């Protein structure tokens, strides 16, 4: 970012918030590389509103109030035109309060579909109705999975997502537990007798927490009998956990880098970053899509003004991205379908489509 007194008028400055430390830090290289590709593509055409796009990344892995304080200071300079990034919902809530609707804020990951998001926040990812609920239905149809255990981190997104799961599957939850970010020992959950009664496990852990859980779960010898499903695992997590920790593991999302919407994405990514670039994962891909949707919004509205964005959302705002068009209403995407992928070693392979479930939040 340029010093505020040197900022040229022909620059759009985007603040990208990504965890550079802590449990979520494992996804940062993919997110940053994917955003760099989006910026190169946008600037290689007409930019945003005819202006060059520049991105400044700040650390979203700190305490929410620390991230929000830095965002407030940066917004006070008048330099920031938009905010995006992958980070946890607790950080999002703090940042949204700090932003106070001054600039568009494109949250580029799964969310809880809660009804009280402040103006200016646009949810690029999926709610439980778009990922975990249809994935659980799919696993029931395929494998008869009926009883579930839930393990998640103790913050907004896992807790709200678990409420949706319990509402959709009353009486089917044998065990649920929530742990702080950075937990390293899951033996209490894995040794609980109620865990053994579950046919499947809903994983609402993020980053290195889900890596450690999968490694410890693999050592129980239960992988062949108990399926695992998550909306928050990417190939980086699989690589960190090792292929032995991936048996019978499924991931649900609307965005995968090798999905059908953008078949040339991986080739473009490697042309920019080379063959030894960070793995382009679906977290990075969602960040990439968010940048292109920001450009699409500027084209549709003729500005990045939040009041115009909010007015357009009432009737439905359609934004284009390389993966295809997506319509937003009431600050979130209206999903037609998603995907379920199967972990194969350290890779994810899409095996079927998912139809969004009825909303439970």
């Amino acid at each position: 970012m340029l010093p505020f007194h040197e900022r040229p008028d022909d620059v759009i400055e985007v603040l990208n918030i990504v965890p550079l430390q802590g449990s979520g830090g494992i996804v940062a290289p993919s997110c940053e590389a994917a955003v760099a590709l989006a910026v190169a593509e946008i600037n290689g055409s007409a930019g945003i509103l005819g202006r060059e796009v520049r991105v400044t990344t700040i650390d979203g892995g700190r305490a929410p109030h620390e991230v929000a304080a830095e965002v407030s200071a940066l917004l006070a300079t008048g330099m920031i035109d938009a905010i995006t990034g992958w980070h946890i919902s607790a950080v999002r809530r703090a940042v949204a309060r700090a932003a106070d609707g001054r600039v568009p804020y494109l949250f580029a990951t799964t969310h809880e579909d809660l009804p009280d998001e402040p103006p200016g926040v646009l949810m690029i990812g999926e709610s439980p109705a778009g990922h975990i609920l249809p994935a659980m239905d799919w696993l029931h149809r395929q494998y008869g999975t009926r009883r579930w255990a839930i393990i998640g981190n103790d913050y907004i997104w896992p807790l709200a997502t678990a409420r949706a799961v319990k509402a959709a599957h009353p009486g089917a939850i044998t065990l649920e537990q929530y742990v702080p970010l950075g937990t390293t020992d899951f033996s209490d959950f894995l040794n609980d007798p109620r865990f053994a009664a579950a046919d499947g496990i809903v994983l609402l852990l993020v980053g290195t927490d889900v890596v450690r859980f999968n490694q410890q779960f693999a050592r129980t010898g239960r992988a062949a009998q108990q399926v695992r499903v998550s909306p928050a695992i990417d190939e980086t997590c699989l690589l960190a956990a090792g292929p032995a920790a991936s048996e019978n593991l499924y991931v649900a999302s609307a965005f995968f880098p090798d999905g059908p919407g953008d078949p040339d994405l991986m080739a473009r990514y490697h042309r920019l970053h080379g063959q030894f670039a960070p793995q382009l994962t679906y977290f990075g891909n969602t960040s990439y899509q968010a940048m292109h949707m920001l450009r699409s919004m500027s084209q549709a509205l003729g500005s990045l003004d939040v009041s115009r964005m909010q007015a357009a959302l009432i009737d439905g705002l359609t934004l284009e991205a390389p993966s295809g068009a997506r319509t937003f209403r009431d600050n979130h995407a209206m999903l037609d379908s998603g995907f379920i992928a199967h972990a194969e070693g350290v890779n994810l392979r899409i095996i079927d489509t998912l139809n969004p479930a009825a909303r439970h939040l």
Side-chain angles (χ1 to χ4, degrees):
M1 182 184 293
L2 293 173
F4 72 90
H5 58 280
E6 296 180 10
R7 175 180 169 174
D9 292 335
D10 58 351
V11 169
I12 292 286
E13 188 74 51
V14 179
L15 188 63
N16 185 44
I17 306 173
V18 177
L20 303 178
Q21 60 180 298
S23 299
I26 192 172
V27 309
S30 178
C31 291
E32 291 188 280
V35 166
L37 174 62
V39 170
E41 292 174 344
I42 292 168
N43 286 338
S45 56
I48 290 179
L49 300 173
R51 295 153 67 183
E52 178 187 0
V53 177
R54 296 184 185 175
V55 173
T56 295
T57 296
I58 67 170
D59 182 10
R62 296 166 292 168
H65 73 274
E66 294 180 24
V67 182
E70 184 171 4
V71 171
S72 292
L74 292 171
L75 285 170
T77 69
M79 294 178 62
I80 304 301
D81 298 291
I83 302 171
T84 189
W86 183 100
H87 40 275
I88 67 171
S89 53
V91 170
R92 182 193 78 233
R93 281 299 177 103
V95 168
R97 288 192 295 269
D100 194 29
R102 285 178 282 178
V103 297
Y105 179 9
L106 281 67
F107 184 65
T109 188
T110 54
H111 62 89
E112 318 82 51
D113 198 21
L114 297 179
D116 57 345
E117 293 297 333
V121 179
L122 194 65
M123 302 296 198
I124 301 301
E126 313 90 76
S127 71
H131 54 67
I132 198 66
L133 297 183
M136 293 170 71
D137 292 341
W138 187 91
L139 289 165
H140 171 69
R141 293 193 303 270
Q142 295 293 319
Y143 302 114
T145 312
R146 295 178 180 274
R147 296 166 299 178
W148 296 91
I150 301 173
I151 179 72
N153 288 118
D154 189 8
Y155 70 94
I156 301 168
W157 172 73
L159 296 172
T161 301
R163 288 199 298 271
V165 168
K166 289 183 287 185
H169 298 271
I173 308 305
T174 66
L175 172 66
E176 60 178 315
Q177 186 179 111
Y178 303 95
V179 298
L181 288 163
T183 293
T184 59
D185 184 359
F186 295 92
S187 57
D188 285 349
F189 180 85
L190 295 171
N191 293 329
D192 192 303
R194 294 170 293 178
F195 173 64
D199 304 312
I201 308 155
V202 175
L203 300 177
L204 303 177
L205 301 163
V206 299
T208 54
D209 290 26
V210 79
V211 169
R212 294 187 183 103
F213 177 87
N214 282 335
Q215 290 172 328
Q216 292 169 38
F217 172 78
R219 292 195 288 269
T220 69
R222 295 181 181 275
Q225 291 78 42
Q226 291 176 310
V227 300
R228 286 163 291 160
V229 62
S230 173
I233 289 177
D234 68 358
E235 292 88 343
T236 306
C237 294
L238 298 183
L239 181 63
S246 299
E247 181 182 359
N248 226 0
L249 174 61
Y250 296 84
V251 174
S253 177
F255 287 113
F256 284 97
D258 59 349
D262 189 6
D264 189 47
L265 174 60
M266 297 302 294
R268 299 196 308 274
Y269 180 79
H270 286 294
R271 280 198 297 269
L272 179 66
H273 294 299
Q275 292 304 308
F276 297 102
Q279 175 73 43
L280 178 57
T281 72
Y282 80 90
F283 290 132
N285 186 42
T286 306
S287 299
Y288 167 83
Q289 303 294 336
M291 290 296 301
H292 277 282
M293 288 180 187
L294 183 67
R295 176 177 66 169
S296 177
M297 183 170 68
S298 74
Q299 293 172 330
L301 304 180
S303 79
L304 294 177
D305 181 73
V306 169
S307 62
R308 289 193 188 184
M309 184 186 90
Q310 293 298 126
L313 288 171
I314 294 173
D315 297 321
L317 173 63
T318 298
L319 301 180
E320 297 285 345
S323 63
R326 181 168 288 198
T327 298
F328 291 79
R329 184 173 288 116
D330 298 332
N331 94 335
H332 55 256
M334 310 298 290
L335 294 177
D336 294 323
S337 64
F339 304 99
I340 188 164
H342 181 240
E344 298 183 351
V346 297
N347 295 303
L348 290 168
R349 181 176 64 87
I350 295 172
I351 54 175
D352 208 346
T353 58
L354 297 174
N355 295 317
R359 292 199 169 179
H360 296 276
L361 284 177

